[in-house]
Amino acid sequence: MFSEPRLDFHWRLFLTTIVRDDLRVSESDFMELKLTDAGSQFCVASSFAGSLVGVHEKAFQVQTGIGLLSMVMNPSTRVTRMGSEVVCEGITPVEHMLAAAREALGGHVMGRLVAYKDGHAPQERAFLLCTELVLQGPTGLEAVYMTPGFWVEQASALGAWWHDCARDHEYGGYFTNIGQCGELLDGPDAFDKWGYIVSRTVYALATAFSLTGNKDLLDSAKQGCAFLLDRATFRQSGHAFFHTRMDRQGRRHSDDVDVVNIFTQIYALTGLIAYYDVSRDSAVGQRIVDGVRALLSIFLDTEHGGFFDAVSHGTLRPIAGMTDSKSFNSIVDPLSATFFFLANSGLGARCPETDGLIDALCRLIIEHFVVPAERFIQEIFDRSWHPREPSWRNPYNTPYQAAEVGANLKTAWVLLRGMAETHVDSRGATLTHVRRILENLRATGAWDPLRGGWFARVERAGAFNAPGRHMWHTNKIWWQQEEGIVVHLLAYLSMGDQTYLETAQLGIRFWLTYFVDSVNGGVFDTVSIDGDPVVRQKGCWLKSGYHELELARYVYVYLNALQDGVVSLYSAYRPDVDFAAYRTIPARIPGAAWAVVDQRVVDDGVLRTQYRLRWVVRQLQRGGHEDR
């Protein structure tokens, strides 16, 4: 169940899954390793990330999150720049490689290394050999990924990939099971469709359009909306719901579960809201309002607060002792997937029943999820908020004994985004909770300081801020990287701690180097501790383009906020609709408001709205003062 035990934790995190069983560490000083037992010539392999701080005649030094690494190169070392421009490949004189590294001195780098042991004497020294070095930016110094325009390019490329690979031209909607090269995967139920996956693909395409103004992406998003409204929707007892699993034609699948899960309902709304936000389509807007009212009428627990995980397909009531549970998926996810987007789009005004809901859900999170006695958030409860392992297996819940790293990261992000709706007296406590969550994730080993990126799960049991054990594997999963990057950028905007910005930057570099497939397009599902693809599939019943385009959108907006830039968002314009109706909230940032600085039609049927951030309250981490 657990990965191998740590030695002195961070340095052994570097060694645990990669050292052969017959090797034992006798000493490490980050400049070189001394290994016992002759063993193989190449003893340890790992990726790394850090700042290039020294280049000498035969070696270079990288400052990482666990210390200083001194490495040598050989003629086979591969040197590239982020974006796959090859600098040195094949047999290249080492001095040429070191010259390229010297030009990047002071910049950030990624790479791979092995601990090279030349000889078989028991106390032979093992030196670190760099097998691949990835420089950032055109010069090796420029952090291209810290420019907002870079993320517009990312959105364009990723949106085009889903436009080309996912659409079902015959039956509508999008295919679910998509391989590494964009091919459709064969096998039983290979062409099944899932309501929330179709919607999340709509979100990806609509978001890509909002950043680029590419009308082809808007047309693809419209195709998915039509499928959700015409095929995936069913009505029962006067309410509108979405099917979870369907066949290719959009008929309810014979193996679909006999419950209506809130996870499906909230994420099926996500894409529709994103499409409405860029189109102001009235039919889509009405379906969103119907869906929100179904959530409030059927899933809301008026006695104990919060939403139920699921209700019976037949009675539309929660099954006592089973689906009347509350969880991360029924409290935190609705905020991130539905209610924030609803408010940002202006559609919340048509749902007055949601007034105060964001504040109420954030209060439940602080009261029940973020518990001082626990080092990770609680994720599963019974109806009256007692933490428990449920008697049914909700496929979207985390196993009870595990702490989902991404759930902790998203909870912190949600609390920050919800601060504008929460009572002013609770905002200081909210920031304290966010700091606590993020600091604990670093201390327990959920964050990889050597390579960058966040691990998937850590054992729930243990002391706060104490090193933990990874559960089942040490892989890194795509959606958790998004949550980690965006929450650390927003935490830096909100509280000004430089550590948050540095963590976000390293997370971005790991994402771009190992998750984004620069050869075939798209984003890998899962990579190893070192960034090697583990699950190469790009689409499945849990993955679409949602998280990768959400990442592009929010990094673009947050970087503009950091750099006092202008956020440009595009909408599908109709002359009979006033410009003001297309205004939205680009992102929810504590202590800030958005001002429209320009609106104009830039193409046939495309409106561009430009926003600039205005700080209302600064220095939240020190209590804040108002700007006059």
Side-chain angles (χ1 to χ4, degrees):
M1 177 179 295
F2 305 113
S3 58
E4 296 179 34
R6 302 290 178 260
L7 304 179
D8 57 300
F9 188 49
H10 283 319
W11 181 241
R12 297 189 182 182
L13 183 62
F14 166 54
L15 297 172
T16 46
T17 61
I18 42 185
V19 177
R20 286 176 39 160
D21 290 340
D22 58 349
L23 293 175
R24 293 181 174 82
V25 181
S26 60
E27 180 180 346
S28 62
D29 60 4
F30 303 116
M31 293 292 290
E32 58 189 5
L33 301 179
K34 295 180 180 179
L35 303 179
T36 58
D37 192 343
S40 170
Q41 203 172 28
F42 293 95
C43 305
V44 178
S46 177
S47 57
F48 65 88
S51 299
L52 188 60
V53 295
V55 181
H56 306 295
E57 183 178 353
K58 295 182 180 180
F60 64 95
Q61 285 79 40
V62 175
Q63 184 67 48
T64 75
I66 65 169
L68 188 68
L69 300 180
S70 181
M71 287 170 276
V72 298
M73 293 178 171
N74 71 11
S76 296
T77 300
R78 187 172 189 265
V79 182
T80 63
R81 300 191 198 281
M82 193 167 287
S84 295
E85 176 192 347
V86 177
V87 179
C88 302
E89 187 174 38
I91 305 301
T92 305
V94 171
E95 55 267 26
H96 291 182
M97 300 177 190
L98 290 172
R102 193 169 287 110
E103 293 176 0
L105 191 63
H108 294 293
V109 295
M110 308 284 288
R112 295 179 182 274
L113 60 82
V114 293
Y116 178 77
K117 184 178 180 185
D118 187 12
H120 297 276
Q123 297 298 324
E124 188 71 32
R125 291 177 180 269
F127 295 92
L128 300 184
L129 169 65
C130 178
T131 58
E132 181 178 5
L133 184 66
V134 182
L135 311 175
Q136 67 176 17
T139 66
L141 286 172
E142 181 185 358
V144 290
Y145 51 82
M146 293 301 286
T147 59
F150 175 87
W151 293 94
V152 174
E153 296 173 3
Q154 284 285 300
S156 179
L158 292 170
W161 193 89
W162 288 99
H163 168 81
D164 294 341
C165 301
R167 289 178 299 159
D168 184 345
H169 296 285
E170 186 173 357
Y171 293 103
Y174 314 106
F175 294 108
T176 302
N177 297 297
I178 305 174
Q180 177 175 347
C181 300
E183 75 279 12
L184 301 181
L185 301 179
D186 296 326
D189 305 317
F191 297 110
D192 289 354
K193 293 171 182 172
W194 302 72
Y196 57 86
I197 288 295
V198 172
S199 173
R200 287 168 134 183
T201 308
V202 171
Y203 175 92
L205 293 162
T207 298
F209 165 75
S210 75
L211 293 176
T212 65
N214 183 340
K215 290 186 285 186
D216 289 342
L217 302 176
L218 181 70
D219 291 340
S220 291
K222 184 177 182 179
Q223 172 182 321
C225 288
F227 186 90
L228 289 169
L229 269 61
D230 299 339
R231 307 285 184 88
T233 292
F234 72 94
R235 296 183 182 272
Q236 185 174 330
S237 302
H239 298 289
F241 303 97
F242 297 96
H243 289 303
T244 294
R245 186 177 181 182
M246 296 159 282
D247 64 15
R248 183 180 178 185
Q249 289 83 357
R251 299 170 299 207
R252 187 185 177 199
H253 199 283
S254 59
D255 290 337
D256 193 18
V257 293
D258 198 30
V259 297
V260 182
N261 200 306
I262 196 172
F263 184 92
T264 294
Q265 307 311 307
I266 58 173
Y267 277 111
L269 290 171
T270 302
L272 292 181
I273 298 172
Y275 182 79
Y276 175 82
D277 202 26
V278 298
S279 70
R280 299 310 189 215
D281 184 291
S282 58
V284 171
Q286 186 57 55
R287 179 62 186 88
I288 294 166
V289 171
D290 292 345
V292 170
R293 288 175 176 163
L295 289 175
L296 298 176
S297 298
I298 301 301
F299 289 91
L300 187 63
D301 183 352
T302 56
E303 181 180 358
H304 298 287
F307 293 101
F308 299 117
D309 275 323
V311 297
S312 165
H313 218 296
T315 66
L316 297 183
R317 299 301 303 159
I319 303 170
M322 292 183 61
T323 71
D324 61 351
S325 55
K326 316 284 178 60
S327 72
F328 169 87
N329 301 117
S330 70
I331 308 298
V332 180
D333 268 341
L335 285 167
S336 188
T338 302
F339 295 115
F340 286 156
F341 294 148
L342 189 76
N344 292 354
S345 71
L347 198 55
R350 290 178 56 184
C351 303
E353 309 95 314
T354 62
D355 289 349
L357 185 61
I358 290 175
D359 179 47
L361 293 177
C362 286
R363 286 177 181 275
L364 289 174
I365 292 170
I366 291 174
E367 183 178 356
H368 300 295
F369 287 73
V370 187
V371 181
E374 300 290 336
R375 63 179 182 167
F376 300 106
I377 67 163
Q378 295 287 343
E379 296 185 47
I380 308 173
F381 307 85
D382 65 15
R383 179 174 185 170
S384 54
W385 295 106
H386 299 102
R388 71 173 178 89
E389 186 166 6
S391 57
W392 70 299
R393 178 67 183 102
N394 186 341
Y396 307 108
N397 284 169
T398 304
Y400 189 73
Q401 68 272 36
E404 188 80 41
V405 172
N408 283 262
L409 292 165
K410 180 182 273 192
T411 299
W413 190 35
V414 161
L415 289 174
L416 287 174
R417 293 158 76 194
M419 281 182 64
E421 311 282 341
T422 56
H423 194 277
V424 65
D425 292 342
S426 67
R427 293 174 187 172
T430 296
L431 293 175
T432 299
H433 288 308
V434 169
R435 287 193 204 96
R436 185 181 187 276
I437 291 170
L438 298 183
E439 290 169 5
N440 181 65
L441 289 174
R442 296 179 71 87
T444 56
W447 163 252
D448 185 344
L450 174 64
R451 309 162 186 83
W454 288 267
F455 297 105
R457 297 181 186 94
V458 180
E459 181 190 11
R460 178 168 294 281
F464 180 75
N465 270 358
R469 296 189 293 179
H470 301 116
M471 294 196 69
W472 300 302
H473 55 72
T474 54
N475 295 335
K476 299 167 183 176
I477 299 174
W478 92 101
W479 71 271
Q480 314 214 20
Q481 313 311 306
E482 183 235 340
E483 307 295 349
I485 291 166
V486 293
V487 70
H488 279 86
L489 281 177
L490 185 54
Y492 177 69
L493 274 166
S494 304
M495 294 180 278
D497 187 330
Q498 188 70 20
T499 300
Y500 296 143
L501 179 60
E502 293 170 356
T503 302
Q505 289 176 309
L506 183 49
I508 288 171
R509 295 201 299 276
F510 189 90
W511 170 266
L512 293 173
T513 304
Y514 300 116
F515 274 94
V516 177
D517 185 347
S518 59
V519 176
N520 302 297
V523 170
F524 292 118
D525 180 298
T526 304
V527 303
S528 72
I529 188 173
D530 290 311
D532 297 311
V534 174
V535 179
R536 296 175 179 269
Q537 194 168 336
K538 305 289 177 60
C540 67
W541 70 284
L542 286 174
K543 184 182 183 301
S544 67
Y546 165 62
H547 286 284
E548 55 218 51
L549 267 301
E550 185 175 58
L551 175 65
R553 159 74 178 248
Y554 280 97
V555 175
Y556 167 72
V557 174
Y558 291 159
L559 290 180
N560 270 302
L562 280 172
Q563 299 164 17
D564 195 27
V566 173
V567 171
S568 296
L569 298 177
Y570 297 89
S571 304
Y573 173 67
R574 299 198 317 271
D576 60 322
V577 179
D578 187 76
F579 274 13
Y582 291 98
R583 295 176 182 176
T584 188
I585 298 175
R588 305 166 72 88
I589 298 176
W594 293 96
V596 175
V597 296
D598 186 62
Q599 271 190 298
R600 66 183 64 187
V601 176
V602 294
D603 194 2
D604 183 27
V606 178
L607 174 72
R608 185 188 68 196
T609 305
Q610 293 186 309
Y611 306 84
R612 189 183 293 276
L613 191 76
R614 181 175 68 87
W615 287 103
V616 179
V617 178
R618 283 192 183 274
Q619 298 178 335
L620 293 176
Q621 71 276 22
R622 290 186 288 275
H625 67 266
E626 292 192 8
D627 290 343
R628 301 295 185 185

